Amino acid sequence: QVFAREAEILRELSHKRIIRFVDTGADDGRLYIAMEFVDAIDLEDVLKPLSLKRRTRVVLGLMRQILDGLAYAHGRDLVHRDIKPRNLLVSRDDGKLNARLADFGLAKNFADAGMSQISSEHEIKGTLSYIAPEQIVNCRYAKPSADIFSVGATMYTLISGKTIYNLSDHETPIAAILNEGPVPLCVRAPDLPRSVSKIVDKALAAEPGDRFESAEQMRRSIEKLLR
């Protein structure tokens, strides 16, 4: 069911910032999805040696690209539900870094929230260090604002090298996430410009209504910084 849903979703998407669907088929009884080939680089290896200033600028540039693709998906009533560093494919083309959003295996149509039966009432889908609190409580009703949170969490990790929560000290990570929330980015990266941490903080707001209104709005905010 997950395989068929991902193939169906990918057929609908055609955007330069989203991995392109090619075909589906079966080989020796195994189903497969053929996607465009991306000569991806290890983003962590690229970012690690950079100064905080340079690393932040690179991350902002990549997330601006990802938000462009995400705005396109949201415009088609689709939420990704699993945005994290591993699902960003980055390539180096003519000396420039290009990012594409991959893995729509958990994506769903938010306009039909709760009707598809893809997710059960109390099921958690996504990766704990990157998903929004409301997605933990009830992933069936995840909206675009949940993806905004995940973009903020991804930016946080790529810039600081740490995840947004202090989970290692807790026996029940879900309770810690819901009760304590993210560690402020300024604690992880005290030398980061306030203008950058404000964008991340807004994306990581506990209440969906306090986040950016859309992926496009967040993209424009990042673009202003890059200018």
Side-chain angles (χ1 to χ4, degrees):
Q1 191 177 20
V2 171
F3 177 90
R5 186 172 81 255
E6 182 169 11
E8 183 181 345
I9 287 170
L10 288 169
R11 280 193 184 97
E12 298 177 19
L13 300 175
S14 178
H15 192 278
K16 65 182 179 179
R17 298 303 174 194
I18 295 175
I19 291 296
R20 182 169 50 83
F21 170 85
V22 177
D23 197 8
T24 59
D27 180 49
D28 196 22
R30 296 178 180 176
L31 299 172
Y32 66 82
I33 297 177
M35 311 295 296
E36 73 169 308
F37 172 74
V38 175
D39 190 11
I41 60 176
D42 189 320
L43 184 56
E44 185 178 341
D45 286 349
V46 172
L47 296 176
K48 202 170 184 180
L50 301 180
S51 66
L52 177 63
K53 181 178 180 180
R54 180 60 184 153
R55 182 166 70 248
T56 300
R57 186 166 183 83
V58 170
V59 171
L60 288 172
L62 293 174
M63 298 317 295
R64 176 180 60 178
Q65 296 175 17
I66 291 298
L67 285 162
D68 191 21
L70 196 57
Y72 169 86
H74 289 170
R76 278 146 186 79
D77 293 341
L78 291 172
V79 282
H80 187 281
R81 297 201 298 178
D82 197 23
I83 296 169
K84 55 189 176 184
R86 205 175 88 181
N87 286 339
L88 311 184
L89 293 186
V90 178
S91 59
R92 197 185 296 276
D93 306 311
D94 297 326
K96 295 181 180 179
L97 295 179
N98 282 306
R100 294 174 181 83
L101 187 56
D103 195 350
F104 278 76
L106 295 186
K108 67 185 290 293
N109 187 311
F110 65 82
D112 298 328
M115 299 176 67
S116 68
Q117 305 305 316
I118 291 298
S119 307
S120 63
E121 190 76 30
H122 301 293
E123 188 177 9
I124 296 173
K125 288 184 179 288
T127 305
L128 281 180
S129 294
Y130 299 97
I131 62 176
E134 70 271 15
Q135 195 172 332
I136 293 176
V137 175
N138 195 338
C139 70
R140 291 172 69 183
Y141 294 91
K143 302 287 190 194
S145 54
D147 281 346
I148 296 293
F149 184 99
S150 297
V151 170
T154 298
M155 286 180 64
Y156 184 115
T157 297
L158 292 177
I159 290 171
S160 71
K162 301 178 190 276
T163 56
I164 63 176
Y165 301 116
N166 267 334
L167 298 182
S168 58
D169 299 327
H170 299 274
E171 293 182 1
T172 53
I174 291 176
I177 289 170
L178 295 178
N179 296 331
E180 298 179 19
V183 176
L185 180 55
C186 63
V187 173
R188 304 282 205 205
D191 295 329
L192 191 69
R194 179 66 185 138
S195 56
V196 177
S197 58
K198 277 179 68 176
I199 286 179
V200 175
D201 290 346
K202 186 174 178 66
L204 293 176
E207 291 296 325
D210 293 334
R211 298 171 201 154
F212 291 95
E213 292 178 6
S214 66
E216 176 58 23
Q217 186 189 60
M218 187 174 179
R219 189 196 68 78
R220 288 198 302 265
S221 294
I222 288 175
E223 192 164 29
K224 283 181 184 176
L225 281 188
L226 288 171
R227 287 184 193 145

